[in-house]
Amino acid sequence: MHAFYSRSELYSAFFEPSQEIRDSIDRVVRQHLRRMPRRVLDPACGPGLWLSHFLIHESEVAGCDLEERAIALAHERLPKRGARVLVGDMRRPPDELGADFDLVINLDNSIGHLAEAMDVAEHLASIRARMAPKGVYLLGLALREQGDAIDAGVVYERGPVDVPGGGFAALRSETLGLMPRTNCERIRQIAITANVPDMPAVIAEQYDLLTFDFATLRDILALSGGFEVIGCHDATDESLPEKAFRKRAGDVVLVLRPTGAPARRARSATTRKSTRKPMRKSTRRN
Ligand SMILES: C[S@@+](CC[C@H](N)C(=O)[O-])C[C@H]1O[C@@H](n2cnc3c(N)ncnc32)[C@H](O)[C@@H]1O
């Protein structure tokens, strides 16, 4: 269990998407779908912040998350009709969520919480099998090469903010840089709360996020049955400007489209069990 993600009221207080990022996402979606989506999947949906956004556009929405509390809050937030959310793993989202999604959205480097590249390939294969043939997948991730360095320092700082239900809180996340052997980005994070019911006064944790070198990402996209990259945007700027899809692009939102015939079913689960916990927090630089 991830201490911060399991406190979904806190997560929502900090990460409700701004109007600017909503507009930017809508623009990117329209650019590639030429309309707003009919069916949206967020495979690491947390308390459903992005799913709520697409309900405004009258899309049907579905999502899963490992955190029970996040899914409970998503149930409270989303209407029963047109929304389906379940506890589940993004490596293989529950079949009950359905298929034929024309938009899959998975931002803020949530995919970096997976333990290794094969988990990402499994995830992508599973998603590809659920997508409409001309659908798009907006995927936030970090492109870095082995041996790259990033400066240690604060990547997110906000608060105090009011927490729905009472009290207030502040949050600070720092990057400790890329770990030499794994090339994962190490994040250290502290939330401080006051008068928030059933909440500890301090939540402090450290976790690693996967990053992707260009060649490995290409391999993973092919291994998953095939996705082409049809767009790349700078995730550190809420206006989501276009960015070249290349080595060392950093934190980006990729626009993926399935290639070739749609996969009939997701690839089978990898047999190797990861020794790392699958829960990490994104850097949320934007
Ligand atoms: C940065 S949050 C994003 C939440 C949501 N997509 C949003 O934009 O507000 C990352 C989420 O990924 C979830 N998560 C981490 N590993 C997961 C996994 N293997 N399967 C499903 N969800 C996972 C966490 O519980 C957390 O809610």
Side-chain angles (χ1 to χ4, degrees):
M1 180 190 279
H2 188 290
F4 182 67
Y5 289 146
S6 65
R7 311 288 179 173
S8 300
E9 294 81 356
L10 265 196
Y11 179 85
S12 303
F14 289 107
F15 294 121
E16 186 72 52
S18 70
Q19 194 55 52
E20 182 176 16
I21 187 74
R22 288 169 192 262
D23 291 345
S24 302
I25 289 291
D26 288 354
R27 187 193 74 235
V28 173
V29 169
R30 278 202 191 89
Q31 181 184 340
H32 294 287
L33 278 187
R34 311 228 173 273
R35 54 174 169 74
M36 290 315 285
R38 298 192 179 103
R39 289 177 52 74
V40 179
L41 173 67
D42 182 340
C45 67
L49 306 182
W50 277 106
L51 296 180
S52 309
H53 171 74
F54 284 100
L55 279 175
I56 298 167
H57 294 301
E58 298 185 350
S59 314
E60 276 180 43
V61 301
C64 66
D65 199 282
L66 283 182
E67 292 291 347
E68 284 180 19
R69 180 64 200 140
I71 292 301
L73 209 64
H75 276 296
E76 285 174 27
R77 160 186 290 266
L78 302 169
K80 291 213 174 3
R81 185 181 282 248
R84 187 172 293 181
V85 283
L86 295 169
V87 173
D89 193 319
M90 72 170 118
R91 285 175 295 180
R92 204 175 174 83
D95 290 342
E96 294 82 352
L97 294 177
D100 210 27
F101 294 100
D102 51 357
L103 176 66
V104 181
I105 183 163
N106 192 4
L107 301 179
D108 299 310
N109 208 359
S110 302
I111 201 160
H113 293 300
L114 292 175
E116 59 188 11
M118 284 311 293
D119 293 331
V120 178
E122 183 183 6
H123 162 76
L124 287 170
S126 180
I127 294 297
R128 188 174 177 279
R130 284 144 206 260
M131 285 181 71
K134 291 195 173 155
V136 291
Y137 183 4
L138 303 190
L139 176 61
L141 53 75
L143 280 167
R144 317 261 180 216
E145 294 298 304
Q146 270 299 331
D148 280 359
I150 50 178
D151 292 339
V154 176
V155 290
Y156 184 88
E157 194 166 33
R158 189 160 170 222
V161 297
D162 290 329
V163 178
F168 57 94
L171 178 67
R172 180 182 166 117
S173 305
E174 288 182 352
T175 178
L176 303 185
L178 295 176
M179 297 300 101
R181 197 179 49 79
T182 61
N183 229 33
C184 284
E185 183 173 1
R186 183 152 294 169
I187 302 293
R188 193 173 272 182
Q189 175 168 290
I190 298 185
I192 300 173
T193 77
N195 306 331
V196 181
D198 304 321
M199 195 74 73
V202 177
I203 301 170
E205 59 196 337
Q206 180 173 298
Y207 51 86
D208 288 354
L209 290 171
L210 279 183
T211 70
F212 298 84
D213 68 68
F214 205 64
T216 305
L217 179 63
R218 287 241 183 246
D219 287 350
I220 292 172
L221 292 175
L223 193 63
S224 64
F227 279 100
E228 60 177 325
V229 179
I230 58 172
C232 179
H233 300 264
D234 182 355
T236 65
D237 180 339
E238 292 207 340
S239 69
L240 293 181
E242 291 192 10
K243 193 168 195 185
F245 175 56
R246 55 166 173 72
K247 284 183 181 177
R248 305 191 163 88
D251 290 293
V252 292
V253 176
L254 298 181
V255 187
L256 306 178
R257 176 162 279 157
T259 53
R264 289 205 173 271
R265 50 190 289 273
R267 296 168 67 86
S268 59
T270 51
T271 48
R272 186 146 83 83
K273 191 161 173 9
S274 164
T275 50
R276 278 181 44 194
K277 288 189 202 141
M279 311 297 304
R280 314 286 180 272
K281 169 72 188 76
S282 80
T283 55
R284 274 274 184 183
R285 288 163 202 274
N286 48 359

